[in-house]
Amino acid sequence: MADTETVTAARGPAYPTTTAAVAHRPLGGRAVRLTGGLLADWQQRNHVVSLPLALRQLEVAGNLDNLRLAGTGVNSGYRGPAFMDSDVYKTLEAVSWQLGRADDPALAEFAADTTALLAKAQQDDGYLNSYAQVTGRPRYARLETSHELYCAGHLIQAAVAANRSFDGGALLAVARRFADHLVGTFLGRQAGLDGHPIVETALVELYRETGTAAYLELASQFVDQRGHGLVGDSGFGSRYLQDYRPVRESTVMAGHAVRALYLESGVVDVAVETGDSELLASSLARWQDMVAAKTTLTGGIGSRHSGEAFGDAYELPPDRAYNETCAAIGSFHWNWRLLLATGQARYADLMERILYNGFGAAVSADGHRFFYVNPLQRRDDHFEDDDPGRRREWFSCACCPPNIMRLIASLNRYVATISGDALYLHLLGQARVTAPVTDGVISVDVSTDYPWDGSIELTVVSAPASECGIAVRIPAWSAGVSVRLNGERLAAEQGEHGYLLLRRTWQPGDVLACSLDMPPRLTYPHRRIDALRGTAAVERGPLVYCFEQADQPAGLSVEDIALGKGDLAGHALTLAEVGRTVVVEAGAAILPAAQLPAAQLPADDRNQLPYRPEPTGTDQHSAAAGRSPVTAVAIPYFQWDNRDGQAMRVWMPCDRPEDRATSQDPAPSRAPFPAHDS
Amino acid sequence: MADTETVTAARGPAYPTTTAAVAHRPLGGRAVRLTGGLLADWQQRNHVVSLPLALRQLEVAGNLDNLRLAGTGVNSGYRGPAFMDSDVYKTLEAVSWQLGRADDPALAEFAADTTALLAKAQQDDGYLNSYAQVTGRPRYARLETSHELYCAGHLIQAAVAANRSFDGGALLAVARRFADHLVGTFLGRQAGLDGHPIVETALVELYRETGTAAYLELASQFVDQRGHGLVGDSGFGSRYLQDYRPVRESTVMAGHAVRALYLESGVVDVAVETGDSELLASSLARWQDMVAAKTTLTGGIGSRHSGEAFGDAYELPPDRAYNETCAAIGSFHWNWRLLLATGQARYADLMERILYNGFGAAVSADGHRFFYVNPLQRRDDHFEDDDPGRRREWFSCACCPPNIMRLIASLNRYVATISGDALYLHLLGQARVTAPVTDGVISVDVSTDYPWDGSIELTVVSAPASECGIAVRIPAWSAGVSVRLNGERLAAEQGEHGYLLLRRTWQPGDVLACSLDMPPRLTYPHRRIDALRGTAAVERGPLVYCFEQADQPAGLSVEDIALGKGDLAGHALTLAEVGRTVVVEAGAAILPAAQLPAAQLPADDRNQLPYRPEPTGTDQHSAAAGRSPVTAVAIPYFQWDNRDGQAMRVWMPCDRPEDRATSQDPAPSRAPFPAHDS
């Protein structure tokens, strides 16, 4: 059993100081151990498959060679884009979080060797950037595109992770030297801003780790300098760079999604460390804008390929959804900070949505391949330039794979928080959770098959002598939950911000069992999302489902399926290549033949365009008449593209709501307390 | 009255040789004079406003200075992208077509001065490219991006236009010297292919103008070399460059839309001049692919911003439709060539659709501003990077404005053709048309208020002594047409390929009157176009309509309008800034309040996402219940964005077809002969 010291010694990402204005505090890094289930499997896969792949790719792509060239003062031979160092740093951060979970000599060797490489490449005044050093480009001369502070930020994040996970003092020293150089160069001046934020949150984290106030001051300065046109012209405009409006005045999410998201983590970090509620409020306003009108069902963001950018409000096409994996990660990091700042379940809800859907899909079932772009629909014969849109081992711009790895390696650190004398469970995986409360330590075992099953059983392993709280997030999607304490059903009671909170003097062996109804359900889009008009999606628990061609009856195209009123039934299965899953069988219909394909149109039919004066047969609204019933099969979205590479859809043409209203479906049962929207 | 010589002396774009395998032949350049109405107004606006603007911009942007630098051998100071010369050539082509219509001393001076400038800049061996000459880049070393043959192609086109329109011998000599250099460099070798086609069609036109077979041979070689990976890597992949599959084997339109379209003009030109029916068939197959699944209602093509490319089949989002103006022009040029090759009305139908919609919208009502991108929907507060998506005077990549000008200046040359002993009218504007037939010349005055009105009256001005034909295209959209000859109603009779064809011994004063029913109508999308599910659009005659915010009742957002079952009524109006128009009043409904905007959601509502478990109020399908009737106003799409810059929609949420089927709308009347699809 862990004692208080162990629990607090290893800290996780975004670890506010004791004076920060936060509602919740994270636990120490070894306070949560994922003991089984999907998230534990992901961490294992990440450790065994993905991280070794990254270590190889950093050699193949030349990232480490670039640093070696910088270390030996060679002035040619640099390979790749300007931000190649950041892939090294993100991998190092992933390795650090992994070493925080368990020893691994090979990873520890990589961390030590790379740290030594960085220390050698670092210049005397603390500056470190292989691109500038090897190519001889002047420092900080083109910050709008050079990514120098971006790389510095990732170096700092890696060093903080190392220091919070194992003996990372050597890497922290490298990061501090660079940070001190940044303070000397930028603090109190208008000396430039990086086109790609991340140094802001990194500097706050370094302040948290070291207590050096100048780091926080520089982060704060960078946040407030943004939006005044100080970033140069990168060719994509000022929105792309979040430089078109001061942060405090901006109420919309615009421009390059990853940049916008990374900036928000810095904004919240600065706000909570300086107690700046105005700054926090501006971030919350942008969150609302993003969530209400610019987020896909999978939690993905950044709908535009061009500029990798946020689109207009309600511009959320399923097929063209860019949804960069790094944007999902950036949103996860931002939501974690908002959860700490406010304690509201909506941020944990969105973390969960991202985790199991938009983010989860970014890795192949075997851990070998990664998505950069995460659409909600793929047509047959899809091409993006010459790319068929499948996962890849690596990318010429390889920001996503090591970013995925650092999040998965740190997943356990996002499971729970402490607020006052209560332990809060946010992510509902199987875990051992140990947390300091007022009078000692509370430790619980969480036993669950989540997200495949909605039954979650907490067994108290140890508890303090006095009363303390245990809170479990009841997801917003839950239409019904029953709760038992040591077998006795608890009456409905008011949750706090979406949490079931029980406060008592816990005894070892106490069992708190929550059972979340998890029937497959249909979800409908907002009317203003033009691209989704007339469709519905299947969800089950926290999982968004998709219809892949591989699972449909022979001869049935996923493009011809309309969701009907039939029951949705889930079945646990293991599918080769996809692995364990729960498929949903959907009562559906085969839509009547659409307008004939051009090849079959009569040769004398002059109008070959896909537009007709009569809707007959060309419009899914008429699906009710003349269609054939069929059972279509859906699998979790995160498991897509592990098989044939063919068509996939999340949003399906659906029945008219009027038909639903008069159907024999029972009214949905309600939760015993209003855990979801009313 | 024109004699035969005048009629045939001045030739138009794509003028096949007498041995070419074509069903129709174009008329001479002065054979058609637009005498009034919309197309004549466009030509006048182009002459008086747009062309002078282009002449100014070529100085401001540096295009002419680049050529001056090249002419004096200066090796620095080049401005703009590599293809700046092409803007000069396109403007020169536009000026040439304009001079073919009427004398203009200022334009003639520009043509003479620029021709002299080009002759001076041209190198001794015929090579001419200000980018390569001023920057010192090696010739033909990076053809995938250098646009050297692309610029050569536009030079040749300008020279052909000059030679067909006025005394353009000096410019033709420059073009021939360059073309001879190209023949010497490329013919019979694998010496490279330009990343951007157009030289293919240009070389065929130069062959037509000069009789030099080597130009046709080189064009044919370039067509057949494409698709074998000979174009280098431009970073966008081989589809982008139409280099992924041999032209004869390719059945789909893919990659950069403008490049793909320009190539097709060359393919058809080569096919008809060499009698290569296999090559023509491949182009027809790609036409079918484009028209059936990759063309917007406005005739626009290239749905993706990224790569300015064709999307997948049925990937046709209205809001993100890229629809580059140059692609519409390229499609117009291709369809003209297919019309000549086959004589089928479907190609003229598409030319008309492009002309009055996707292309027509590219110019502001006052002729001063231009669209590069032509979406079918714009939301309020739209931004593309920092651009609010309105027309602009010029662009850093200024391919579109002078391209628009060259098409408008030559519009009269696309109005009619001759086939055997019959004159065919394809574009139905007010005009004097004179054509050589077997026994002389037939000349008719076309009197019409088209496209505002469907009445078209042809009065024979002169006719040969023997029988000949007059054919009028009956557009595919027409649901009813009545025909009178000298006041007597003609019985329904079979048209040829969509043309009303009357063959008789015509007398001067004979009047052939066609009256096309032109009620506003609803058009429905193919079911597979996901982005348009549950919508309909208003069309009237050849015009696609749109709903702009400026025309709606106070307080009614275009985002809240659903088209209802009410009658659609058209009214002629003049709107300030838009000019003359026919508005359509649509019986519509105000949709019930959608899900509350996030700002109004209860603060404790955890689900702020635009996705709900119940469709109530969030789905337009429920529009029938609880909505309020309203009259919404639409104007022709080509007239949009001349006022407030706010929201616009072409496709509107609509009633269910079942409701329509039981409505009291009369069944549409049918045409007396099957002019449209059955």
Side-chain angles (χ1 to χ4, degrees):
Chain A
M1 195 192 320
D3 61 15
T4 309
E5 193 185 350
T6 308
V7 166
T8 57
R11 298 171 300 280
Y15 202 89
T17 63
T18 53
T19 59
V22 291
H24 282 228
R25 296 194 55 76
L27 306 182
R30 296 200 182 191
V32 179
R33 195 160 44 85
L34 295 171
T35 52
L38 188 64
L39 299 186
D41 290 347
W42 285 2
Q43 287 202 317
Q44 171 73 1
R45 182 184 65 187
N46 191 56
H47 181 195
V48 174
V49 180
S50 302
L51 277 172
L53 170 73
L55 269 47
R56 288 194 304 274
Q57 290 291 350
L58 293 179
E59 289 292 0
V60 170
N63 309 65
L64 293 168
D65 277 345
N66 288 338
L67 286 164
R68 289 180 189 116
L69 293 172
T72 50
V74 175
N75 281 321
S76 65
Y78 183 90
R79 282 193 282 159
F83 44 84
M84 289 284 275
D85 289 356
S86 65
D87 299 338
V88 176
Y89 300 143
K90 282 191 275 195
T91 305
L92 207 44
E93 182 184 339
V95 164
S96 297
W97 296 131
Q98 176 59 35
L99 288 171
R101 295 203 302 118
D103 294 335
D104 180 309
L107 293 183
E109 187 186 350
F110 169 82
D113 290 352
T114 307
T115 299
L117 179 60
L118 293 169
K120 187 175 176 201
Q122 187 166 38
Q123 300 191 313
D124 290 344
D125 61 0
Y127 184 85
L128 174 54
N129 184 285
S130 75
Y131 177 73
Q133 291 170 231
V134 177
T135 66
R137 308 283 166 104
R139 291 178 182 180
Y140 310 130
R142 291 273 301 164
L143 275 177
E144 63 275 21
T145 54
S146 71
H147 290 73
E148 285 161 279
L149 304 190
Y150 169 82
C151 288
H154 277 298
L155 166 63
I156 293 168
Q157 288 190 326
V160 167
N163 206 54
R164 287 179 183 168
S165 299
F166 63 100
D167 178 14
L171 188 56
L172 190 68
V174 172
R176 290 200 68 164
R177 280 197 296 274
F178 199 172
D180 291 339
H181 172 75
L182 295 180
V183 167
T185 307
F186 291 93
L187 189 59
R189 299 183 195 158
Q190 287 200 347
L193 282 170
D194 198 284
H196 201 314
I198 202 157
V199 74
E200 300 81 0
T201 181
L203 283 167
V204 178
E205 285 276 87
L206 190 61
Y207 154 73
R208 288 164 172 166
E209 205 61 14
T210 63
T212 304
Y215 303 150
L216 176 60
E217 290 162 21
L218 183 56
S220 181
Q221 172 187 308
F222 281 150
V223 165
D224 276 323
Q225 283 182 330
R226 209 156 195 105
H228 296 276
L230 296 178
V231 190
D233 178 9
S234 70
F236 289 94
S238 61
R239 276 174 177 72
Y240 179 87
L241 303 162
Q242 292 73 51
D243 196 31
Y244 76 113
R245 191 169 291 172
V247 169
R248 290 168 196 274
E249 299 170 19
S250 171
T251 56
V252 301
M253 292 300 271
H256 189 273
V258 177
R259 294 169 200 244
L261 268 294
Y262 283 13
L263 179 62
E264 295 298 345
S265 280
V267 166
V268 178
D269 282 343
V270 167
V272 300
E273 291 299 343
T274 61
D276 190 335
S277 57
E278 178 198 84
L279 187 60
L280 179 63
S282 83
S283 192
L284 291 169
R286 290 187 295 275
W287 184 90
Q288 200 115 353
D289 175 68
M290 177 180 87
V291 173
K294 298 171 184 170
T295 303
T296 65
L297 188 65
T298 57
I301 50 175
S303 66
R304 290 186 185 168
H305 280 251
S306 56
E308 306 185 312
F310 284 103
D312 297 333
Y314 302 111
E315 180 190 318
L316 291 164
D319 51 350
R320 300 302 294 160
Y322 192 69
N323 285 354
E324 185 180 335
T325 301
C326 288
I329 294 167
S331 180
F332 190 92
H333 286 152
W334 181 25
N335 277 283
W336 171 243
R337 285 160 173 80
L338 291 175
L339 174 63
L340 297 180
T342 68
Q344 292 187 2
R346 61 175 62 167
Y347 306 110
D349 285 345
L350 187 51
M351 288 170 66
E352 176 177 88
R353 183 173 290 278
I354 294 165
L355 181 62
Y356 287 117
N357 301 289
F359 171 77
V363 191
S364 62
D366 62 9
H368 272 295
R369 291 174 177 270
F370 310 94
F371 273 135
Y372 194 115
V373 176
N374 296 276
L376 276 71
Q377 176 181 1
R378 181 169 67 194
R379 294 184 181 84
D380 271 338
D381 302 318
H382 170 71
F383 277 95
E384 189 71 41
D385 300 333
D386 286 352
D387 188 315
R390 305 204 64 179
R391 292 186 190 85
R392 292 202 216 168
E393 272 208 341
W394 211 249
F395 303 86
S396 57
C397 171
C399 51
C400 296
N403 215 1
I404 293 166
M405 296 171 205
R406 69 179 182 138
L407 178 54
I408 294 183
S410 59
L411 270 184
N412 52 306
R413 299 163 194 256
Y414 297 99
V415 165
T417 61
I418 201 88
S419 182
D421 68 347
L423 167 69
Y424 278 75
L425 274 183
H426 306 288
L427 300 182
L428 307 177
Q430 186 170 320
R432 164 70 66 92
V433 181
T434 308
V437 284
T438 314
D439 284 330
V441 165
I442 183 148
S443 182
V444 298
D445 269 336
V446 184
S447 177
T448 180
D449 202 18
Y450 199 85
W452 305 119
D453 185 83
S455 175
I456 297 145
E457 196 172 273
L458 288 76
T459 303
V460 175
V461 179
S462 70
S466 60
E467 184 178 290
C468 72
I470 294 179
V472 179
R473 183 177 59 89
I474 306 302
W477 52 258
S478 169
V481 57
S482 68
V483 182
R484 288 173 190 270
L485 178 63
N486 296 327
E488 304 236 342
R489 182 147 192 162
L490 295 187
E493 63 181 85
Q494 181 65 49
E496 271 185 5
H497 302 309
Y499 292 86
L500 167 78
L501 171 61
L502 286 185
R503 197 171 261 112
R504 66 195 303 259
T505 304
W506 296 91
Q507 304 297 329
D510 277 352
V511 175
L512 176 64
C514 304
S515 183
L516 303 168
D517 269 3
M518 208 181 262
R521 62 190 190 276
L522 289 181
T523 298
Y524 297 85
H526 191 291
R527 170 166 71 73
R528 288 253 169 117
I529 307 176
D530 291 300
L532 301 180
R533 177 166 291 110
T535 67
V538 173
E539 295 186 280
R540 181 176 179 275
L543 302 176
V544 174
Y545 272 66
C546 69
F547 293 78
E548 271 205 299
Q549 191 58 58
D551 297 309
Q552 309 316 319
L556 175 61
S557 164
V558 293
E559 298 295 345
D560 288 331
I561 299 170
L563 290 186
K565 292 176 291 188
D567 285 340
L568 300 173
H571 301 285
L573 280 179
T574 297
L575 298 174
E577 296 178 75
V578 168
R580 189 179 170 203
T581 190
V582 172
V583 305
V584 167
E585 292 182 355
I590 303 173
L591 288 172
Q595 178 183 326
L596 291 169
Q600 296 168 32
L601 281 172
D604 62 352
D605 188 338
R606 284 169 58 195
N607 179 10
Q608 307 270 325
L609 288 162
Y611 312 105
R612 297 276 152 164
E614 302 298 325
T616 314
T618 68
D619 191 289
Q620 83 300 335
H621 289 196
S622 58
R627 62 188 195 176
S628 321
V630 70
T631 297
V633 175
I635 64 165
Y637 170 78
F638 83 82
Q639 295 179 320
W640 86 285
D641 193 45
N642 282 294
R643 293 171 298 178
D644 62 3
Q646 294 307 302
M648 180 277 292
R649 296 185 68 115
V650 168
W651 293 99
M652 310 299 287
C654 69
D655 275 349
R656 306 181 313 231
E658 295 93 313
D659 295 338
R660 278 182 52 82
T662 58
S663 80
Q664 295 169 350
D665 289 349
S669 57
R670 307 302 294 176
F673 62 85
H676 64 99
D677 63 281
S678 55
Chain B
M1 198 192 316
D3 61 16
T4 309
E5 191 186 350
T6 307
V7 165
T8 56
R11 299 170 301 279
Y15 202 89
T17 61
T18 53
T19 58
V22 291
H24 282 229
R25 297 195 53 77
L27 306 182
R30 294 198 183 193
V32 180
R33 194 161 45 84
L34 295 171
T35 52
L38 189 65
L39 298 186
D41 290 347
W42 285 4
Q43 287 201 318
Q44 170 73 1
R45 182 184 66 188
N46 192 57
H47 181 194
V48 175
V49 180
S50 302
L51 278 172
L53 170 74
L55 268 47
R56 287 195 302 276
Q57 290 291 350
L58 293 179
E59 289 292 1
V60 170
N63 308 65
L64 292 168
D65 276 344
N66 288 338
L67 286 164
R68 290 181 188 117
L69 292 172
T72 50
V74 175
N75 282 319
S76 65
Y78 183 90
R79 283 193 280 159
F83 45 83
M84 289 285 274
D85 290 356
S86 66
D87 300 338
V88 176
Y89 300 142
K90 282 191 275 194
T91 305
L92 206 45
E93 183 184 339
V95 165
S96 298
W97 296 130
Q98 176 59 36
L99 288 171
R101 295 203 303 119
D103 293 336
D104 180 309
L107 294 183
E109 186 186 351
F110 170 82
D113 290 352
T114 307
T115 299
L117 180 59
L118 293 168
K120 187 175 176 202
Q122 187 166 38
Q123 299 192 315
D124 291 343
D125 61 359
Y127 184 84
L128 173 54
N129 184 285
S130 76
Y131 177 73
Q133 292 171 231
V134 177
T135 65
R137 308 284 166 105
R139 290 178 183 181
Y140 310 130
R142 290 273 300 162
L143 275 177
E144 62 275 21
T145 55
S146 71
H147 289 74
E148 284 160 280
L149 304 190
Y150 169 81
C151 288
H154 277 298
L155 166 63
I156 293 168
Q157 288 190 325
V160 168
N163 206 55
R164 287 179 182 168
S165 299
F166 63 100
D167 178 13
L171 188 57
L172 190 68
V174 172
R176 291 198 69 163
R177 281 196 296 273
F178 200 171
D180 292 339
H181 172 75
L182 296 180
V183 167
T185 307
F186 293 94
L187 188 60
R189 300 185 193 155
Q190 286 201 348
L193 282 171
D194 199 284
H196 200 314
I198 201 158
V199 74
E200 300 81 2
T201 181
L203 284 166
V204 178
E205 284 276 87
L206 190 60
Y207 155 72
R208 289 164 172 166
E209 205 60 14
T210 63
T212 304
Y215 303 150
L216 176 60
E217 289 162 20
L218 184 56
S220 181
Q221 171 185 310
F222 282 151
V223 165
D224 275 322
Q225 283 183 329
R226 212 156 193 103
H228 295 278
L230 297 178
V231 191
D233 179 10
S234 71
F236 288 94
S238 61
R239 276 173 178 73
Y240 179 87
L241 303 163
Q242 292 73 52
D243 196 32
Y244 76 113
R245 189 169 292 173
V247 169
R248 289 168 196 275
E249 298 171 19
S250 171
T251 56
V252 301
M253 291 298 273
H256 190 272
V258 177
R259 295 168 198 244
L261 269 293
Y262 284 13
L263 179 61
E264 295 299 343
S265 279
V267 167
V268 179
D269 282 343
V270 167
V272 300
E273 292 298 343
T274 60
D276 188 335
S277 57
E278 177 198 87
L279 187 59
L280 179 64
S282 82
S283 192
L284 290 169
R286 290 186 295 275
W287 185 90
Q288 200 115 352
D289 176 67
M290 178 180 86
V291 172
K294 297 171 184 171
T295 303
T296 66
L297 189 64
T298 57
I301 49 176
S303 67
R304 290 186 183 167
H305 280 251
S306 56
E308 307 186 311
F310 284 102
D312 297 333
Y314 302 110
E315 180 189 318
L316 290 164
D319 51 348
R320 300 301 294 161
Y322 192 69
N323 284 357
E324 185 180 334
T325 300
C326 288
I329 294 167
S331 181
F332 190 92
H333 286 152
W334 182 25
N335 278 283
W336 170 244
R337 285 160 172 80
L338 291 175
L339 175 61
L340 296 180
T342 68
Q344 291 188 2
R346 60 176 63 169
Y347 306 110
D349 285 344
L350 187 51
M351 287 170 66
E352 175 176 89
R353 182 173 290 278
I354 293 165
L355 181 62
Y356 287 117
N357 302 289
F359 172 77
V363 191
S364 62
D366 62 9
H368 272 296
R369 290 173 178 273
F370 310 94
F371 272 134
Y372 193 115
V373 177
N374 296 275
L376 276 70
Q377 176 181 2
R378 182 168 68 194
R379 294 186 181 82
D380 271 336
D381 303 318
H382 170 70
F383 276 94
E384 189 70 39
D385 299 334
D386 286 353
D387 188 315
R390 305 204 64 181
R391 293 187 190 84
R392 293 202 216 169
E393 272 208 342
W394 211 248
F395 302 86
S396 57
C397 171
C399 51
C400 296
N403 216 1
I404 293 166
M405 295 170 206
R406 70 179 181 137
L407 179 53
I408 294 183
S410 59
L411 270 185
N412 50 306
R413 299 163 193 256
Y414 297 99
V415 166
T417 61
I418 201 87
S419 182
D421 68 346
L423 167 69
Y424 277 75
L425 274 183
H426 306 288
L427 300 182
L428 307 176
Q430 186 170 322
R432 164 71 66 95
V433 180
T434 307
V437 283
T438 313
D439 285 329
V441 165
I442 183 148
S443 181
V444 298
D445 268 335
V446 184
S447 176
T448 180
D449 201 18
Y450 199 84
W452 306 119
D453 185 82
S455 176
I456 298 145
E457 198 172 272
L458 286 78
T459 304
V460 174
V461 179
S462 69
S466 59
E467 185 178 291
C468 72
I470 294 179
V472 179
R473 183 177 58 89
I474 306 302
W477 52 258
S478 170
V481 57
S482 68
V483 183
R484 287 171 192 272
L485 179 63
N486 297 326
E488 303 236 345
R489 184 146 191 164
L490 297 187
E493 62 182 87
Q494 182 63 47
E496 270 185 4
H497 301 310
Y499 292 86
L500 168 76
L501 170 62
L502 286 185
R503 194 172 264 112
R504 68 195 304 258
T505 304
W506 296 91
Q507 305 296 331
D510 277 352
V511 175
L512 177 64
C514 304
S515 182
L516 303 167
D517 269 3
M518 208 182 262
R521 62 191 190 275
L522 289 181
T523 298
Y524 298 85
H526 191 291
R527 171 166 71 72
R528 288 253 168 117
I529 307 177
D530 291 300
L532 301 181
R533 178 166 290 109
T535 67
V538 174
E539 294 186 281
R540 181 177 180 275
L543 302 176
V544 174
Y545 273 66
C546 69
F547 292 79
E548 271 205 298
Q549 191 57 60
D551 296 309
Q552 309 316 320
L556 176 61
S557 165
V558 293
E559 298 295 346
D560 289 332
I561 299 171
L563 290 186
K565 293 176 291 187
D567 286 338
L568 301 174
H571 302 284
L573 278 181
T574 296
L575 297 174
E577 297 179 74
V578 167
R580 188 177 172 206
T581 191
V582 171
V583 304
V584 168
E585 292 181 354
I590 303 174
L591 289 171
Q595 177 181 327
L596 291 168
Q600 297 167 31
L601 282 172
D604 62 352
D605 187 338
R606 282 168 60 194
N607 178 12
Q608 307 270 325
L609 288 161
Y611 312 104
R612 298 276 152 163
E614 302 297 325
T616 315
T618 68
D619 191 289
Q620 83 300 336
H621 289 196
S622 59
R627 63 186 195 177
S628 319
V630 69
T631 298
V633 175
I635 63 167
Y637 171 78
F638 84 80
Q639 296 179 319
W640 86 285
D641 195 45
N642 281 294
R643 295 171 297 179
D644 62 3
Q646 295 307 302
M648 179 277 291
R649 295 185 70 114
V650 167
W651 292 99
M652 312 298 287
C654 68
D655 276 350
R656 305 180 316 229
E658 295 94 311
D659 296 338
R660 278 183 53 82
T662 59
S663 80
Q664 294 169 350
D665 289 349
S669 58
R670 308 301 294 177
F673 62 86
H676 63 100
D677 62 280
S678 54

